[in-house]
C-alpha cells in the first residue's frame, strides 16, 4: 500500500519547528530513545493482529481510514500536543476547531449556533440530551428501537425517563407509535436517527417535525453516522426528505471519526440556539483565562480535549470542503452506489434474502433457510468463509420482520435473526464491488 503520510508530514513538521527557532537550545531528549525503535517494532508486530481496515476488502463494520492529510495534521500537532480546553492550552488549534465546526454547521444551513468537538458520538449525544433534559426537566427521551443503545444508557445516566419507539419494516421510527407516546404528554425530546448504526435507516424527520408542531417537543438528530450524507445527491426520495429538514432540529450530532475521514476521538455536537451556552456555566479556579475570546472549555462538558483532533479536521475540510458536488461528497456517493449495486446482486441470488433497498451505504441481508435459527447459523458460516476468502463482512442481529420475503416458518413478531452486514463506506468500495461479490458467492457455495 502506498502511504503519503510521511511525505506530507516531514516538511510540515520542519516548518512548524522553525516557528519556535528563537528559543535557546534545550536538551529535550526523553530517556529511552535508543530502545524506542525496538519497542515500536514490537508494537508494529502486535498491530498485525487486526483486520485490514484500510483495505476495500474490509467491508464489515464502520471503519474508514483517516485521510493522509488528517493523519499528518494530527501528528504535526503532536509536536505541541495542544489542549483545546482553554485558549492558553491551544490558541491556534482552538481557532481551527471553531472554523472546522462552523463548516459542519454550515453544511446543515446553520450560521448562528453553538457547537464544538467531542471525543466521540457518545459524549456528543450526552451533551445534547443533557441540554434537552435541562430544557424539559423530568420529561422522557423517545428514540426508535433501532437508535444507538447509547441513548437509553445516557438517559439513565442523566436520570431522564426513556421510551423506545417501534420501527417499520425498514428499521425507521414508526410515526403512529410515536404519536401514541406523544399523546400521553410525557415526552420532552424525540431523538431522530439519520442513519441507524445497524442498517443505515433514516428516521422520517419530516414527519417527526410535523408532530412537533402539534405536540411541542425538542428534536435531537443523531446523525453520528449519517450526517455527512447531507451533501450527497443520490439518496432515495424519503431519506432525502429527512436530510432536507435536518436544519430544523434543535441539536445535531455528527461524528467526523465515522464518515469524516478523521482519526478516532472526533465527534461533534451542535445546538441551533446559541443561548444553551448558559447551561455550561462554570466557575473553575484553574481554567486560567488570558483572553476575552470564547473558550471552548466554557461550552463543553469535557475539559481537556485533543487540539490535534481539531487540527486534523480543519486540514481535511480545507482540502476537501464540505460542499455538494465536491470530492468529499463524491466519495460518499460512491459508497452508496456500491451498496445499491451489491443490493441488486443479493436480490438476484436465490441463496440470499435481501432486505429493502439500503437508505445509505449499509447493506444487510440474510441467508435463505427454512427457519431463522438455520438462517442465523448459515450467516455465521458465510461470515467465516468470506473471511477465509480475504473478505471481511460483519454480522448483525435484526428483527426477522425486516425480511418480509424470507418465509421463515418460525418467525414471530419479536423473532430476531443473525444476518450479514456490510458497511460500504470507503469510496474504493465501488471499484471493488464486483470483486467483493465474487468472494461473497464463493463463501456461500456450500
Ligand atoms: C457510532 C454512533 C454513536 C456512538 O458514537 P461513538 O463515536 O461511537 O461514541 C451514536 N449514534 C449513532 C447513530 C452512531 O452511529
Amino acid at each position: 500500500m502506498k502511504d503519503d503520510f510521511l511525505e506530507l508530514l516531514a516538511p510540515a513538521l520542519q516548518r512548524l519547528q522553525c516557528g519556535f527557532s528563537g528559543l535557546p537550545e534545550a536538551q529535550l531528549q526523553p530517556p529511552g530513545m535508543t530502545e524506542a525503535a525496538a519497542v515500536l517494532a514490537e508494537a508494529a508486530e502486535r498491530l498485525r493482529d487486526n483486520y485490514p481496515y484500510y483495505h476495500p476488502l474490509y467491508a464489515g463494520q464502520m471503519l474508514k481510514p483517516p485521510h493522509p492529510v488528517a493523519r499528518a495534521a494530527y501528528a504535526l500537532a503532536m509536536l505541541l500536543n495542544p489542549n483545546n480546553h482553554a485558549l492558553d492550552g491551544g490558541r491556534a488549534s482552538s481557532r481551527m476547531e471553531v472554523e472546522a465546526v462552523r463548516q459542519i454547521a454550515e453544511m446543515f444551513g446553520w450560521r448562528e449556533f453553538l457547537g464544538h468537538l467531542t471525543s466521540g458520538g457518545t459524549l456528543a449525544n450526552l451533551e445534547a440530551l443533557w441540554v434537552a433534559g435541562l430544557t424539559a426537566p423530568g420529561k422522557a427521551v423517545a428514540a426508535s428501537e433501532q437508535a444507538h443503545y447509547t441513548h437509553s444508557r445516557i438517559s439513565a445516566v442523566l436520570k431522564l425517563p426513556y421510551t423506545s419507539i417501534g420501527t417499520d419494516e425498514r428499521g425507521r421510527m414508526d410515526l403512529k407509535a410515536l404519536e401514541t407516546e406523544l399523546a400521553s404528554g410525557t415526552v420532552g425530546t424525540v431523538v431522530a436517527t439519520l442513519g441507524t448504526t445497524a442498517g443505515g435507516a433514516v428516521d422520517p424527520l419530516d414527519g417527526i417535525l410535523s408532530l412537533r408542531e402539534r405536540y411541542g417537543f425538542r428534536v435531537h438528530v443523531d446523525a453520528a453516522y449519517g450526517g455527512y450524507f447531507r451533501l450527497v445527491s443520490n439518496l432515495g426520495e424519503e431519506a432525502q426528505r429527512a436530510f432536507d429538514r435536518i436544519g430544523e432540529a434543535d441539536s445535531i450530532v455528527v461524528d467526523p471519526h465515522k464518515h469524516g475521514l478523521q482519526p478516532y476521538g472526533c465527534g461533534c455536537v451542535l445546538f441551533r440556539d446559541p443561548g444553551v451556552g448558559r447551561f455550561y456555566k462554570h466557575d473553575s479556579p484553574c481554567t486560567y483565562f488570558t483572553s476575552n475570546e470564547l473558550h471552548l472549555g466554557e461550552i463543553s462538558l469535557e475539559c481537556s480535549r485533543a487540539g490535534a483532533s481539531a487540527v486534523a479536521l480543519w486540514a481535511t475540510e480545507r482540502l476537501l470542503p464540505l460542499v455538494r458536488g465536491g470530492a468529499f461528497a463524491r466519495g460518499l456517493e460512491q459508497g452508496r452506489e456500491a451498496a445499491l449495486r451489491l443490493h441488486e446482486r443479493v436480490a438476484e441470488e436465490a441463496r440470499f434474502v435481501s432486505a429493502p433497498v439500503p437508505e445509505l451505504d449499509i447493506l444487510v441481508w440474510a441467508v435463505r433457510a427454512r427457519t431463522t435459527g438455520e438462517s442465523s447459523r448459515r450467516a455465521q458460516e458465510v461470515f467465516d468463509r468470506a473471511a477465509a476468502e480475504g473478505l471481511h463482512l460483519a454480522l448483525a442481529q435484526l428483527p426477522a420482520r425486516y425480511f418480509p420475503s424470507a418465509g421463515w416458518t418460525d418467525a414471530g413478531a419479536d423473532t430476531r435473526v443473525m444476518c450479514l452486514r456490510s458497511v460500504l463506506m470507503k469510496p474504493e468500495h465501488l471499484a471493488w464491488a464486483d470483486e467483493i461479490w465474487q468472494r461473497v458467492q464463493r463463501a456461500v457455495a456450500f
Side-chain angles (χ1 to χ4, degrees), residues 62 118-125 146-151 154 192-198 222-226 253-258 264-267 362 421:
M62 288 173 172
T118 62
S119 59
T122 302
L123 250 294
N125 277 303
Q146 284 294 311
H148 199 282
Y149 67 87
T150 195
H151 293 288
I154 288 170
T193 307
L194 267 54
T196 59
T197 315
D222 182 2
Y225 183 72
V253 160
V254 57
D255 261 0
H257 72 201
K258 287 259 179 74
Y264 283 115
C266 194
I362 303 176
R421 171 167 169 270

Side-chain angles (χ1 to χ4, degrees), residues 235-258:
L235 292 177
E237 205 180 299
E238 288 163 300
Q240 187 64 54
R241 276 211 301 275
F243 276 96
D244 282 347
R245 299 194 59 187
I246 195 167
E248 292 171 58
D250 297 289
S251 52
I252 305 173
V253 160
V254 57
D255 261 0
H257 72 201
K258 287 259 179 74

